[in-house]
Amino acid sequence: MNGVLMELGFLRRLRESDLWHRVGWIFGTSAGALAGTMAALDRLDELEDFLLSLRPEETFRPNRLWRLPLLGLHEYALPETIARRVGDLAELAGELREAEIELVVIATDATPGSRDAEDVRDYELVYSSRETEPKEMAQAILASAAISALVMPVRVGDRLATDGGWVRNFPLGHAYERSGVEMIVAFRYLPKFAELGAEGVVRLRSRLERFRRVPPIRAFIAELREAEARHERGEPVHLPEMILRLTRAAIVRNTVLEEQVADDRERFIGEVKSLRHDFAGLIDRHVSRRDEREQLAEALEDRFSASRFAHHYGRAIPRVTVRASVSEVSLEPGYRDQKPWTEESKRVLIDRGYDLTDRELRAAGVGILSEPLPPKATSRR
C-alpha cells in the first residue's frame, strides 16, 4: 500500500510533464500492474479515489485460524473490491486493448511441472494488453498482485500464476528489449519490511494456559514457548515467517540484479563506443595512405555493425529512476490485527511520491507543462 500510493504520486507528476504524451508502454509488476492499468487508461483520478477509500480488509482479508493450513494466511479480497468500486476488470482490460499505451504485466508461473526432461521454463509469465484476451489479461493483473506469502495463486488461462515479484519485481529488462523505447522513466519502491513477530503466538499461549492440565494442550503450549524462544533468538517463529523472509530475499535480490544488468548494459555501450573511437584513431595515426584509411575505417564500421552486441546493445537508452521509501509516515502491514489506514497518511504518501519524482525529473531537465493535459492524453509514442 505504501508503494502503490507513492507510485500514484509518481504517475501524477509524470502526467504533468512533457513526457506524458510520449508514453508508449507501461511495464508493471504487482502494485505496478494495478496502477499501470489505470495509468494506461488515463484514469488516475479514479485510482486516487479508489486508494483513498481502500481499507485493509478489502485487500488481503485474514482467514479464520482453522483455514490457515489449507488456504494460507489471507483471503484475496482485492478482486471483489475492484469489481465493486471500479468495475469489471475484464471490461477495463478490453479498454486497455484499444488504448494508445500498451500495458505489460509480469506474473510468476506456479503451474505444476511435468516429469518431462524437456519441460524447462523460467517461471516468468508476461502478458501484453495488446495480445492477451481481456478476460485473461484481467486475471493476469490480479495474479501479479497476489502476494504469494499471503494468498493462493490465481488461474490465468491454462496457467496458475502468482506474485510477479518472485521473478521480476522491477521489469527494466522488458523496457530495454522494446525497439521503440527512447527513454525509460522508472519507479522503484524500496520497502521496509515489518516482521510477523511472536505476538499472535503469545496471545494464543495465554488463552490456552487455563487448559494446560490436558496433555495434548500442555504439549502444544510447550511448542508455543519454543516458538517464542526462537523469536528471542532472531529465528523465524514459524514457517509462514520463514516463507516471508525468503519472499523478501527473492524480491529484493531480483530487483537489485535487474538494475545491475541495466547499469552494466549502459557501461558496456559506453565502452564499445570508446573502443570504436580508439580503433578509428589508431587507423588515422598509423595508416598513411588515405585510400587504405578509408577502406579500414569502412571495414571497422561494418564489423561493429554486424556484431551480435550491436543488435542487442547498440544504443544507450536514457533512464530516470525514482527510488521511493517511506519516511515519517508509513502504513505498516498487519497480518491479523491491521491498524486503520487514514486518508491523511495516504495523502502524505502520494505527495511523497510526487515530490521524489519532481526532484528526479527536474534533475534530468524535465519540467512541468505550462498547461495541464486534458483528462485523456492524445498521441503517444
Side-chain angles (χ1 to χ4, degrees), residues 112-129:
S114 71
R115 294 180 178 270
D116 188 343
E118 297 182 359
D119 182 18
V120 178
R121 49 182 167 152
D122 64 1
Y123 292 91
E124 181 181 17
L125 299 172
V126 183
Y127 298 92
S128 162
S129 60

Side-chain angles (χ1 to χ4, degrees), residues 58-184:
E58 295 177 317
T59 57
F60 301 96
R61 185 164 48 231
N63 275 321
R64 293 177 182 271
L65 289 174
W66 67 267
R67 301 180 74 189
L68 299 189
L70 300 174
L71 296 177
L73 293 175
H74 290 68
E75 176 188 352
Y76 197 16
L78 188 60
E80 173 191 324
T81 306
I82 291 174
R84 187 174 65 252
R85 299 270 191 85
V86 180
D88 185 351
L89 193 54
E91 291 182 9
L92 291 181
E95 294 180 37
L96 277 175
R97 201 167 196 182
E98 306 301 322
E100 292 175 332
I101 297 177
E102 180 180 0
L103 175 68
V104 178
V105 305
I106 313 300
T108 300
D109 192 351
T111 311
S114 71
R115 294 180 178 270
D116 188 343
E118 297 182 359
D119 182 18
V120 178
R121 49 182 167 152
D122 64 1
Y123 292 91
E124 181 181 17
L125 299 172
V126 183
Y127 298 92
S128 162
S129 60
R130 297 274 170 81
E131 301 170 2
T132 308
E133 289 296 323
K135 184 177 180 180
E136 187 172 329
M137 187 67 188
Q139 292 304 108
I141 293 166
L142 294 172
S144 183
I147 300 175
S148 52
L150 301 181
V151 299
M152 302 295 278
V154 174
R155 184 162 293 281
V156 183
D158 63 347
R159 313 307 293 173
L160 278 177
T162 189
D163 188 356
W166 284 100
V167 290
R168 201 182 293 259
N169 187 53
F170 190 45
L172 272 180
H174 288 292
Y176 275 103
E177 289 299 317
R178 292 298 175 110
S179 60
V181 172
E182 299 171 356
M183 181 179 185
I184 297 171

Side-chain angles (χ1 to χ4, degrees), residues 90-320:
E91 291 182 9
L92 291 181
E95 294 180 37
L96 277 175
R97 201 167 196 182
E98 306 301 322
E100 292 175 332
I101 297 177
E102 180 180 0
L103 175 68
V104 178
V105 305
I106 313 300
T108 300
D109 192 351
T111 311
S114 71
R115 294 180 178 270
D116 188 343
E118 297 182 359
D119 182 18
V120 178
R121 49 182 167 152
D122 64 1
Y123 292 91
E124 181 181 17
L125 299 172
V126 183
Y127 298 92
S128 162
S129 60
R130 297 274 170 81
E131 301 170 2
T132 308
E133 289 296 323
K135 184 177 180 180
E136 187 172 329
M137 187 67 188
Q139 292 304 108
I141 293 166
L142 294 172
S144 183
I147 300 175
S148 52
L150 301 181
V151 299
M152 302 295 278
V154 174
R155 184 162 293 281
V156 183
D158 63 347
R159 313 307 293 173
L160 278 177
T162 189
D163 188 356
W166 284 100
V167 290
R168 201 182 293 259
N169 187 53
F170 190 45
L172 272 180
H174 288 292
Y176 275 103
E177 289 299 317
R178 292 298 175 110
S179 60
V181 172
E182 299 171 356
M183 181 179 185
I184 297 171
V185 183
F187 176 84
R188 179 184 168 190
Y189 172 50
L190 305 174
K192 296 179 180 178
F193 295 109
E195 299 296 330
L196 272 178
E199 291 83 2
V201 170
V202 172
R203 281 199 305 270
L204 179 57
R205 178 181 56 77
S206 298
R207 292 174 182 175
L208 292 175
E209 285 289 352
R210 55 182 169 168
F211 305 110
R212 61 182 177 274
R213 295 183 180 277
V214 180
I217 295 181
R218 186 165 61 247
F220 186 36
I221 290 173
E223 290 292 336
L224 293 175
R225 288 190 183 279
E226 178 56 33
E228 293 176 48
R230 285 197 297 272
H231 175 69
E232 293 298 323
R233 298 192 298 267
E235 301 171 11
V237 175
H238 38 51
L239 186 59
E241 184 178 353
M242 186 64 217
I243 293 172
L244 280 174
R245 291 190 185 192
L246 292 174
T247 301
R248 296 163 188 168
I251 290 174
V252 170
R253 183 60 180 158
N254 78 52
T255 300
V256 169
L257 289 175
E258 195 83 9
E259 281 204 298
Q260 285 181 354
V261 169
D263 292 340
D264 288 345
R265 172 194 173 106
E266 297 298 328
R267 282 192 292 269
F268 177 78
I269 291 171
E271 285 297 315
V272 169
K273 184 178 180 180
S274 177
L275 189 62
R276 177 187 263 171
H277 178 269
D278 291 346
F279 279 155
L282 289 171
I283 292 172
D284 285 340
R285 286 195 301 273
H286 297 288
V287 179
S288 56
R289 291 180 53 181
R290 179 177 178 181
D291 60 334
E292 289 183 357
R293 284 201 308 271
E294 291 177 351
Q295 186 178 4
L296 282 170
E298 184 176 348
L300 176 68
E301 189 64 33
D302 289 344
R303 182 65 185 90
F304 270 94
S305 299
S307 65
R308 289 182 61 188
F309 57 72
H311 296 286
H312 292 280
Y313 306 106
R315 63 193 181 97
I317 301 177
R319 173 162 49 101
V320 177

